[in-house]
Amino acid sequence: MTPALLAITLLFGVTLCYVGVCAASPFGPCRKCHGWGFEMTTDRKGRMKRGKDCRRCRATGKRIRVGRWLYNRWARIYRAGTTD
């Protein structure tokens, strides 16, 4: 198997797996708060405590995956273009 064909096959496999992940679980953990919904801060003694609510995910701890966002955008444009 040539290196180019191997690379194409590997890229296709990774893409297919990511499509499956986006279909099965469209939401993933927030990258800013790591799915907690808030930031962790430390007090003056160095102990961890709960900080402010995460603004990126609005304290839900979830975000929509990039692949699902692209699919939703494509579906919305397709529906808008095919309705009479």
Side-chain angles (χ1 to χ4, degrees):
M1 189 176 269
T2 64
L5 185 59
L6 182 64
I8 291 170
T9 305
L10 184 64
L11 186 62
F12 181 71
V14 169
T15 303
L16 193 62
C17 288
Y18 184 68
V19 167
V21 167
C22 288
S25 176
F27 294 97
C30 177
R31 290 186 294 259
K32 185 174 181 183
C33 65
H34 306 290
W36 287 35
F38 52 86
E39 286 289 327
M40 293 297 292
T41 60
T42 56
D43 61 3
R44 293 189 306 177
K45 294 182 181 178
R47 291 182 297 208
M48 297 299 288
K49 68 175 195 170
R50 186 184 195 280
K52 294 181 179 180
D53 288 344
C54 180
R55 294 187 308 169
R56 180 179 286 176
C57 65
R58 297 188 186 115
T60 62
K62 297 291 182 184
R63 65 167 177 85
I64 192 158
R65 295 185 193 273
V66 175
R68 186 62 183 211
W69 183 85
L70 289 171
Y71 172 75
N72 289 348
R73 179 64 56 106
W74 173 81
R76 189 177 308 124
I77 291 171
Y78 181 77
R79 278 193 305 266
T82 57
T83 58
D84 290 331

